[in-house]
Amino acid sequence: MGYQEAYDKLEKYGQQHVLKYYEELRKEEQEALLCQIEQTDFEVLSLCQKKETLNPRGEITPIGVMQLPEIEVKKEEYTKIGLDAIRAGKVGAVLLAGGMGTRLGSDAPKGVYNIGLTKEVFIFQRLIENLLDVVNQAGAWIPLYVMTSDKNHETTTAFFKEKEYFGYNADYVTFFMQDMAPASDYEGKVYMEAKNKISTSPNGNGGWFLSMMKWGVVDKIREAGVEWLNVFAVDNVLQRIADPCFVGATIATNSAVGAKVVKKNAPDEKVGAMCLEDGKPSIVEYYDMTEELMAAKDENGEPAYNFGVILNYLFREKDLEEIVAKKLPLHIVEKKIPFLDDKGELVKPEKPNGYKFEQLVLDMIHELDSCLPYEVVRNKEFAPIKNKTGIDSVESARELCKENGIEL
Ligand code: UTP
């Protein structure tokens, strides 16, 4: 795209400031900027004006959850079904590692964070060790697809190589990059992260399947006969991945998707709760939890929205193709966004200063007709690392690892 064309595109969206430093740039920097302008979807920025009315919620009602006692009774049966599926090569795992981990405050990808105390224990290592437990139990490798982003791809792939995949079979590991979206101030003007670069950030944890398609990974999945994908977050160092009992329960109940859930520790805990929305499976985010929903009780007198999701889902591959064909909605998320100030110097803000535009995995669930919320023991399977200290932190995850006999 030439300068004039780029200018016209920017003018259409009121973003001409992107070219402020154009004259100062070297030729190749100018070309890089023009190329980025060509590729950027500025349309998403108009969502800032509609923020209040974006993604209205439907009627929220409770959903049935498969709880621990019921799972215990069927454990053997479900585990066998799950192991058979894994041995037949029907189950793959998708690690969502494209996030920026801004709350943790490390510039490196979250997975390379070392939570060890007396030895090195990296977050990626913990996840691979958990997956290896199942590989050993099944006697079969499970294909692992790792989503990175433009911001952390090189470091992530180099790290896995350097650490020899922590004992995993590299032939079964595929990396792919997620798409990026522009990041803006509160008025919808894109920030610049360099004089020749519009500020971008990964487009959320819901963009993974579309990115997999773009990278040709879905073709490989189909060829390999993988029918189920267990998608999981990078930050929960205790979660069981491709858990045979969970896989078996989802298959046996003929559910379109399985969702691991934990009992919430308080009605206002900051986790999304599984629910039905207009009769279809969904997740009510903690900030959408009204007093009324928090007080609601089920027929046993228990809180009706008592089970929180932990971003560990088992999707049926063929449903995913239909879901992404429908185009998932975008959400506006307030975040800290590094930007160039008026003097052209890079500022790393201490507080949120603008918006990112994200697709969320919860909207994928809502497209499906059935979901199996599947309870797991909280202290055994939920140790998320979002912050350095306090709730959901390196500290709390270390405590939980110790409780579970994991040496750090
Ligand atoms: P979070 O919502 O905790 O976001 O991601 P984050 O970017 O890791 O951390 P903060 O909010 O900046 O502190 C939940 C999971 O979704 C992945 C993350 O890597 C994590 O596994 N994710 C999130 C992506 O893969 N891509 C994204 O664009 C966002």
Side-chain angles (χ1 to χ4, degrees):
M1 172 176 272
Y3 179 89
Q4 191 54 47
E5 237 181 312
Y7 185 88
D8 293 344
K9 180 172 180 186
L10 293 170
E11 193 178 33
K12 182 170 165 210
Y13 297 101
Q15 307 287 339
Q16 298 93 311
H17 62 285
V18 168
L19 290 167
K20 180 173 170 188
Y21 300 103
Y22 188 79
E23 295 307 327
E24 296 178 24
L25 301 174
R26 292 197 311 272
K27 193 161 182 321
E28 59 277 18
E29 290 173 332
Q30 289 181 335
E31 278 167 9
L33 180 58
L34 294 180
C35 179
Q36 196 189 14
I37 295 169
E38 181 174 14
Q39 286 169 0
T40 301
D41 172 13
F42 293 101
E43 193 68 47
V44 299
L45 301 162
S46 64
L47 296 180
C48 293
Q49 270 75 54
K50 308 181 210 148
K51 189 168 183 295
E52 305 315 323
T53 52
L54 207 61
N55 308 320
R57 301 299 308 237
E59 190 202 358
I60 305 291
T61 50
I63 189 170
V65 172
M66 183 182 271
Q67 298 185 33
L68 296 171
E70 188 183 347
I71 295 170
E72 193 50 44
V73 173
K74 301 258 182 92
K75 197 170 169 185
E76 242 174 80
E77 181 193 332
Y78 289 157
T79 303
K80 181 177 179 320
I81 296 171
L83 284 173
D84 286 348
I86 291 166
R87 288 183 185 127
K90 291 184 181 170
V91 182
V94 183
L95 164 55
L96 299 180
M100 301 277 280
T102 45
R103 283 169 286 173
L104 187 59
S106 156
D107 283 338
K110 208 184 243 188
V112 313
Y113 198 89
N114 175 16
I115 60 164
L117 293 167
T118 60
K119 57 178 189 174
E120 288 180 326
V121 180
F122 302 98
I123 292 180
F124 280 140
Q125 178 182 356
R126 280 269 60 255
L127 300 174
I128 295 290
E129 282 169 2
N130 289 348
L131 187 55
L132 276 171
D133 286 345
V134 182
V135 166
N136 292 332
Q137 188 184 1
W141 289 103
I142 295 164
L144 172 66
Y145 308 97
V146 184
M147 183 167 84
T148 61
S149 85
D150 185 38
K151 309 265 177 190
N152 67 17
H153 186 78
E154 298 306 324
T155 331
T156 303
T157 50
F159 185 75
F160 268 91
K161 225 178 192 172
E162 181 199 326
K163 301 294 178 194
E164 296 178 338
Y165 295 80
F166 298 105
Y168 214 75
N169 184 339
D171 294 344
Y172 285 83
V173 183
T174 309
F175 295 92
F176 65 100
M177 271 206 272
Q178 76 175 106
D179 294 349
M180 304 295 281
S184 77
D185 66 13
Y186 291 120
E187 271 69 55
K189 297 261 184 254
V190 286
Y191 277 123
M192 299 297 287
E193 62 183 51
K195 289 184 176 176
N196 72 330
K197 195 160 193 291
I198 297 166
S199 183
T200 58
S201 73
N203 69 344
N205 62 31
W208 59 276
F209 192 73
L210 198 59
S211 299
M212 267 177 130
M213 281 179 119
K214 285 191 186 161
W215 276 67
V217 181
V218 173
D219 295 334
K220 277 172 80 178
I221 284 176
R222 277 197 223 115
E223 272 164 37
V226 173
E227 291 177 11
W228 294 91
L229 289 172
N230 183 194
V231 60
F232 63 101
V234 71
D235 45 38
N236 177 6
V237 290
L238 280 185
Q239 66 191 315
R240 310 307 302 166
I241 305 151
D243 172 352
C245 190
F246 173 52
V247 173
T250 307
I251 295 175
T253 53
N254 204 17
S255 306
V257 61
K260 283 199 169 185
V261 295
V262 291
K263 211 171 239 177
K264 284 166 58 175
N265 61 19
D268 61 350
E269 187 188 355
K270 288 187 171 177
V271 293
M274 228 36 257
C275 65
L276 291 173
E277 181 179 351
D278 293 336
K280 292 184 83 181
S282 189
I283 290 152
V284 50
E285 286 292 356
Y286 69 88
Y287 43 78
D288 285 332
M289 268 296 222
T290 57
E291 291 292 329
E292 198 185 331
L293 290 178
M294 281 194 251
K297 299 276 188 282
D298 67 12
E299 65 277 9
N300 302 318
E302 294 288 329
Y305 303 95
N306 208 14
F307 290 92
V309 286
I310 61 170
L311 221 178
N312 187 315
Y313 302 105
L314 186 70
F315 284 98
R316 210 162 27 197
E317 192 275 327
K318 67 174 167 50
D319 292 333
L320 289 164
E321 297 183 29
E322 284 168 33
I323 293 173
V324 298
K326 289 187 196 157
K327 211 163 186 238
L328 294 172
L330 279 168
H331 295 255
I332 298 185
V333 193
E334 207 181 343
K335 292 261 181 173
K336 292 187 238 172
I337 304 157
F339 66 101
L340 285 195
D341 66 10
D342 289 343
K343 292 183 217 112
E345 279 158 24
L346 188 68
V347 179
K348 284 192 175 174
E350 301 281 317
K351 293 190 302 201
N353 62 331
Y355 296 135
K356 292 184 175 179
F357 303 86
E358 299 192 343
Q359 291 185 338
L360 301 181
V361 80
L362 61 92
D363 289 314
M364 302 173 99
I365 309 276
H366 191 46
E367 288 296 328
L368 296 165
D369 291 328
S370 61
C371 173
L372 174 72
Y374 173 98
E375 186 186 9
V376 295
V377 180
R378 186 175 174 121
N379 276 19
K380 286 194 177 160
E381 274 214 46
F382 189 44
I385 299 180
K386 302 283 185 195
N387 308 296
K388 255 200 177 115
T389 56
I391 295 171
D392 296 344
S393 67
V394 179
E395 281 174 353
S396 58
R398 278 185 183 139
E399 282 308 312
L400 286 162
C401 282
K402 268 192 237 160
E403 203 179 303
N404 284 283
I406 294 159
E407 270 183 52
L408 294 175

